[in-house]
PDB file of all heavy atoms in Angstrom:
ATOM      1  N   LEU A1442     -54.525   6.401  91.560  1.00 94.00           N
ATOM      2  CA  LEU A1442     -54.648   5.710  90.329  1.00 94.00           C
ATOM      3  C   LEU A1442     -54.501   6.714  89.175  1.00 94.00           C
ATOM      4  O   LEU A1442     -55.090   7.807  89.201  1.00 94.00           O
ATOM      5  CB  LEU A1442     -56.017   4.991  90.202  1.00 94.00           C
ATOM      6  CG  LEU A1442     -56.134   3.742  89.324  1.00 94.00           C
ATOM      7  CD1 LEU A1442     -55.053   2.763  89.659  1.00 94.00           C
ATOM      8  CD2 LEU A1442     -57.487   3.205  89.416  1.00 94.00           C
ATOM      9  N   ILE A1443     -53.615   6.368  88.219  1.00 95.00           N
ATOM     10  CA  ILE A1443     -53.236   7.310  87.170  1.00 95.00           C
ATOM     11  C   ILE A1443     -53.404   6.634  85.826  1.00 95.00           C
ATOM     12  O   ILE A1443     -52.967   5.478  85.646  1.00 95.00           O
ATOM     13  CB  ILE A1443     -51.784   7.757  87.368  1.00 95.00           C
ATOM     14  CG1 ILE A1443     -51.577   8.350  88.761  1.00 95.00           C
ATOM     15  CG2 ILE A1443     -51.388   8.742  86.252  1.00 95.00           C
ATOM     16  CD1 ILE A1443     -50.100   8.497  89.161  1.00 95.00           C
ATOM     17  N   ILE A1444     -53.965   7.347  84.880  1.00 96.00           N
ATOM     18  CA  ILE A1444     -54.105   6.878  83.490  1.00 96.00           C
ATOM     19  C   ILE A1444     -53.028   7.559  82.661  1.00 96.00           C
ATOM     20  O   ILE A1444     -52.856   8.747  82.707  1.00 96.00           O
ATOM     21  CB  ILE A1444     -55.504   7.219  82.932  1.00 96.00           C
ATOM     22  CG1 ILE A1444     -56.600   6.550  83.738  1.00 96.00           C
ATOM     23  CG2 ILE A1444     -55.599   6.770  81.433  1.00 96.00           C
ATOM     24  CD1 ILE A1444     -57.995   7.085  83.411  1.00 96.00           C
ATOM     25  N   GLY A1445     -52.299   6.745  81.890  1.00 96.00           N
ATOM     26  CA  GLY A1445     -51.321   7.271  80.965  1.00 96.00           C
ATOM     27  C   GLY A1445     -51.876   7.225  79.533  1.00 96.00           C
ATOM     28  O   GLY A1445     -52.397   6.208  79.126  1.00 96.00           O
ATOM     29  N   VAL A1446     -51.773   8.326  78.837  1.00 96.00           N
ATOM     30  CA  VAL A1446     -52.385   8.482  77.520  1.00 96.00           C
ATOM     31  C   VAL A1446     -51.299   8.340  76.461  1.00 96.00           C
ATOM     32  O   VAL A1446     -50.322   9.121  76.405  1.00 96.00           O
ATOM     33  CB  VAL A1446     -53.075   9.861  77.394  1.00 96.00           C
ATOM     34  CG1 VAL A1446     -53.678  10.000  75.976  1.00 96.00           C
ATOM     35  CG2 VAL A1446     -54.097  10.026  78.482  1.00 96.00           C
ATOM     36  N   GLY A1447     -51.432   7.338  75.567  1.00 93.00           N
ATOM     37  CA  GLY A1447     -50.498   7.110  74.482  1.00 93.00           C
ATOM     38  C   GLY A1447     -51.160   7.218  73.144  1.00 93.00           C
ATOM     39  O   GLY A1447     -52.282   7.743  73.044  1.00 93.00           O
ATOM     40  N   ASP A1448     -50.493   6.784  72.133  1.00 92.00           N
ATOM     41  CA  ASP A1448     -51.014   6.775  70.743  1.00 92.00           C
ATOM     42  C   ASP A1448     -51.601   5.452  70.386  1.00 92.00           C
ATOM     43  O   ASP A1448     -50.884   4.465  70.149  1.00 92.00           O
ATOM     44  CB  ASP A1448     -49.859   7.130  69.800  1.00 92.00           C
ATOM     45  CG  ASP A1448     -50.311   7.226  68.335  1.00 92.00           C
ATOM     46  OD1 ASP A1448     -51.551   7.332  68.113  1.00 92.00           O
ATOM     47  OD2 ASP A1448     -49.425   7.221  67.444  1.00 92.00           O
ATOM     48  N   GLU A1449     -52.944   5.400  70.414  1.00 93.00           N
ATOM     49  CA  GLU A1449     -53.652   4.126  70.224  1.00 93.00           C
ATOM     50  C   GLU A1449     -53.276   3.074  71.225  1.00 93.00           C
ATOM     51  O   GLU A1449     -53.305   1.842  70.970  1.00 93.00           O
ATOM     52  CB  GLU A1449     -53.454   3.588  68.789  1.00 93.00           C
ATOM     53  CG  GLU A1449     -54.070   4.487  67.746  1.00 93.00           C
ATOM     54  CD  GLU A1449     -54.050   3.923  66.344  1.00 93.00           C
ATOM     55  OE1 GLU A1449     -54.353   2.676  66.263  1.00 93.00           O
ATOM     56  OE2 GLU A1449     -53.740   4.614  65.394  1.00 93.00           O
ATOM     57  N   GLU A1450     -52.852   3.499  72.383  1.00 95.00           N
ATOM     58  CA  GLU A1450     -52.559   2.595  73.557  1.00 95.00           C
ATOM     59  C   GLU A1450     -52.703   3.424  74.801  1.00 95.00           C
ATOM     60  O   GLU A1450     -52.446   4.640  74.786  1.00 95.00           O
ATOM     61  CB  GLU A1450     -51.211   1.963  73.440  1.00 95.00           C
ATOM     62  CG  GLU A1450     -50.055   2.947  73.357  1.00 95.00           C
ATOM     63  CD  GLU A1450     -48.690   2.304  73.160  1.00 95.00           C
ATOM     64  OE1 GLU A1450     -48.655   1.024  73.103  1.00 95.00           O
ATOM     65  OE2 GLU A1450     -47.696   2.960  73.081  1.00 95.00           O
ATOM     66  N   MET A1451     -53.144   2.761  75.849  1.00 97.00           N
ATOM     67  CA  MET A1451     -53.373   3.413  77.129  1.00 97.00           C
ATOM     68  C   MET A1451     -52.695   2.658  78.225  1.00 97.00           C
ATOM     69  O   MET A1451     -52.585   1.383  78.151  1.00 97.00           O
ATOM     70  CB  MET A1451     -54.862   3.577  77.421  1.00 97.00           C
ATOM     71  CG  MET A1451     -55.641   4.371  76.351  1.00 97.00           C
ATOM     72  SD  MET A1451     -55.251   6.112  76.353  1.00 97.00           S
ATOM     73  CE  MET A1451     -55.990   6.616  77.902  1.00 97.00           C
ATOM     74  N   PHE A1452     -52.294   3.377  79.217  1.00 97.00           N
ATOM     75  CA  PHE A1452     -51.555   2.746  80.356  1.00 97.00           C
ATOM     76  C   PHE A1452     -52.275   3.113  81.630  1.00 97.00           C
ATOM     77  O   PHE A1452     -53.048   4.065  81.745  1.00 97.00           O
ATOM     78  CB  PHE A1452     -50.087   3.278  80.407  1.00 97.00           C
ATOM     79  CG  PHE A1452     -49.391   3.136  79.138  1.00 97.00           C
ATOM     80  CD1 PHE A1452     -49.424   4.115  78.131  1.00 97.00           C
ATOM     81  CD2 PHE A1452     -48.618   1.985  78.866  1.00 97.00           C
ATOM     82  CE1 PHE A1452     -48.716   3.981  76.979  1.00 97.00           C
ATOM     83  CE2 PHE A1452     -47.944   1.849  77.648  1.00 97.00           C
ATOM     84  CZ  PHE A1452     -47.963   2.823  76.717  1.00 97.00           C
ATOM     85  N   LEU A1453     -51.979   2.284  82.630  1.00 96.00           N
ATOM     86  CA  LEU A1453     -52.618   2.461  83.920  1.00 96.00           C
ATOM     87  C   LEU A1453     -51.555   2.172  85.021  1.00 96.00           C
ATOM     88  O   LEU A1453     -50.797   1.229  84.900  1.00 96.00           O
ATOM     89  CB  LEU A1453     -53.785   1.512  84.075  1.00 96.00           C
ATOM     90  CG  LEU A1453     -54.453   1.307  85.436  1.00 96.00           C
ATOM     91  CD1 LEU A1453     -55.194   2.572  85.819  1.00 96.00           C
ATOM     92  CD2 LEU A1453     -55.394   0.139  85.431  1.00 96.00           C
ATOM     93  N   ALA A1454     -51.537   2.968  86.093  1.00 94.00           N
ATOM     94  CA  ALA A1454     -50.600   2.673  87.163  1.00 94.00           C
ATOM     95  C   ALA A1454     -51.011   3.408  88.442  1.00 94.00           C
ATOM     96  O   ALA A1454     -51.800   4.360  88.410  1.00 94.00           O
ATOM     97  CB  ALA A1454     -49.185   3.132  86.746  1.00 94.00           C
ATOM     98  N   SER A1455     -50.453   2.968  89.538  1.00 91.00           N
ATOM     99  CA  SER A1455     -50.691   3.626  90.838  1.00 91.00           C
ATOM    100  C   SER A1455     -49.572   4.667  91.070  1.00 91.00           C
ATOM    101  O   SER A1455     -49.623   5.368  92.063  1.00 91.00           O
ATOM    102  CB  SER A1455     -50.725   2.612  91.960  1.00 91.00           C
ATOM    103  OG  SER A1455     -49.619   1.717  91.856  1.00 91.00           O
ATOM    104  N   ASP A1456     -48.614   4.782  90.171  1.00 87.00           N
ATOM    105  CA  ASP A1456     -47.512   5.732  90.352  1.00 87.00           C
ATOM    106  C   ASP A1456     -46.951   6.036  88.936  1.00 87.00           C
ATOM    107  O   ASP A1456     -46.812   5.163  88.108  1.00 87.00           O
ATOM    108  CB  ASP A1456     -46.388   5.082  91.240  1.00 87.00           C
ATOM    109  CG  ASP A1456     -45.292   6.067  91.605  1.00 87.00           C
ATOM    110  OD1 ASP A1456     -44.794   6.746  90.750  1.00 87.00           O
ATOM    111  OD2 ASP A1456     -45.004   6.096  92.830  1.00 87.00           O
ATOM    112  N   VAL A1457     -46.605   7.302  88.762  1.00 87.00           N
ATOM    113  CA  VAL A1457     -46.095   7.703  87.411  1.00 87.00           C
ATOM    114  C   VAL A1457     -44.816   6.982  87.047  1.00 87.00           C
ATOM    115  O   VAL A1457     -44.446   6.915  85.853  1.00 87.00           O
ATOM    116  CB  VAL A1457     -45.878   9.217  87.308  1.00 87.00           C
ATOM    117  CG1 VAL A1457     -47.188   9.944  87.437  1.00 87.00           C
ATOM    118  CG2 VAL A1457     -44.872   9.716  88.350  1.00 87.00           C
TER     119      VAL A1457
END
Side-chain angles (χ1 to χ4, degrees):
L1442 206 53
I1443 304 165
I1444 300 168
V1446 180
D1448 181 15
E1449 295 188 41
E1450 59 184 359
M1451 301 289 291
F1452 306 89
L1453 170 70
S1455 49
D1456 189 309
V1457 295

